[in-house]
């Protein structure tokens, strides 16, 4: 029905925006990530609920939130995860306790919707090849942050690792 279709389209658009402006994983957007203000750096927020913890067991990172503020991002998370008393799991018929299945199913729905929209958009069309994956949006976020926000006193690799919540071990050549 049309109402259900509009709800799903709204969730897809908001998910797309959050993937681009946060650099988080699809499963984190759908289930685990929380966004809080970060007083340390302007334009940064604290992302908690990272699915891949670092060696020191942190499941958070301070990283840029691009182009929207923390309140809008949190509203989008709320809208994606719950609306009209239907969770994302109910809308796509997936067990709420299996994050990977939910993420994979929604990624397929999202990818198909994104490609259908993007093939007619001159700015998005270049990334819409046969090798397009949702993870490429995480790379786009990282590339943008490295090119525009990286301090001069840190390497590209170290900065990317920091904002994505990864461990960074410099190679022997760095």
């Amino acid at each position: 029905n049309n109402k259900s279709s509009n709800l799903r389209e709204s969730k897809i658009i908001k998910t797309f925006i959050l993937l681009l402006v946060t650099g988080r994983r699809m499963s984190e957007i759908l289930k685990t990530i929380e966004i809080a203000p970060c007083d340390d750096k302007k334009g940064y927020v604290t992302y908690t609920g990272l699915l891949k913890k670092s060696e020191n067991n942190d499941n958070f990172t301070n990283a840029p939130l691009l182009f929207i503020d923390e309140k809008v991002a949190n509203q989008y998370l709320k809208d994606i995860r719950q609306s009209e008393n239907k969770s994302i799991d109910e809308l796509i018929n997936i067990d709420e306790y299996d994050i990977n299945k939910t993420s994979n199913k929604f990624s397929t729905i999202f990818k198909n919707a994104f490609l259908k929209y993007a093939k007619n958009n001159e700015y998005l069309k270049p990334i819409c090849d046969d090798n397009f994956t949702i993870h490429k949006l995480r790379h786009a976020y990282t590339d943008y942050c490295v090119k525009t926000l990286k301090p001069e006193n840190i390497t590209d690799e170290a900065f990317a690792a920091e904002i994505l919540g990864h461990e960074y071990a410099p190679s022997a050549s760095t």
Side-chain angles (χ1 to χ4, degrees), residues 16-141:
F16 170 68
I17 290 168
L18 286 174
L19 288 166
L20 280 174
V21 303
T22 68
R24 302 306 107 191
R25 296 175 181 88
M26 176 68 84
S27 50
E28 291 169 342
I29 296 292
L30 295 178
K31 289 288 199 169
T32 63
I33 205 75
E34 293 182 24
I35 302 171
C38 174
D39 297 329
D40 296 347
K41 297 179 183 177
K42 188 177 192 295
Y44 275 55
V45 295
T46 299
Y47 296 103
T48 56
L50 302 181
L51 291 174
K52 295 187 178 179
K53 296 178 181 177
S54 62
E55 282 183 15
N56 58 5
N57 236 3
D58 291 338
N59 72 341
F60 73 92
T61 191
N62 293 327
L65 174 63
L66 305 175
F67 311 117
I68 63 175
D69 71 22
E70 173 258 335
K71 289 179 183 170
V72 171
N74 277 311
Q75 183 60 53
Y76 281 12
L77 283 176
K78 181 179 176 185
D79 293 347
I80 290 165
R81 293 174 180 171
Q82 185 75 29
S83 64
E84 296 186 11
N85 298 322
K86 285 190 175 184
S87 70
I88 191 70
D89 306 306
E90 292 169 312
L91 286 170
I92 60 176
N93 302 316
I94 295 293
D95 180 357
E96 68 178 296
Y97 299 105
D98 193 331
I99 292 173
N100 289 331
K101 279 186 182 178
T102 300
S103 179
N104 292 340
K105 174 82 174 193
F106 194 71
S107 289
T108 301
I109 292 168
F110 177 87
K111 177 181 176 179
N112 293 337
F114 174 76
L115 290 174
K116 182 178 176 183
Y117 168 77
K119 71 180 181 181
N120 297 317
N121 182 295
E122 66 180 289
Y123 300 106
L124 298 173
K125 195 173 184 176
I127 66 169
C128 295
D129 58 17
D130 291 339
N131 299 318
F132 175 80
T133 64
I134 301 305
H135 200 74
K136 283 189 177 183
L137 300 176
R138 187 165 161 90
H139 292 274
Y141 167 88

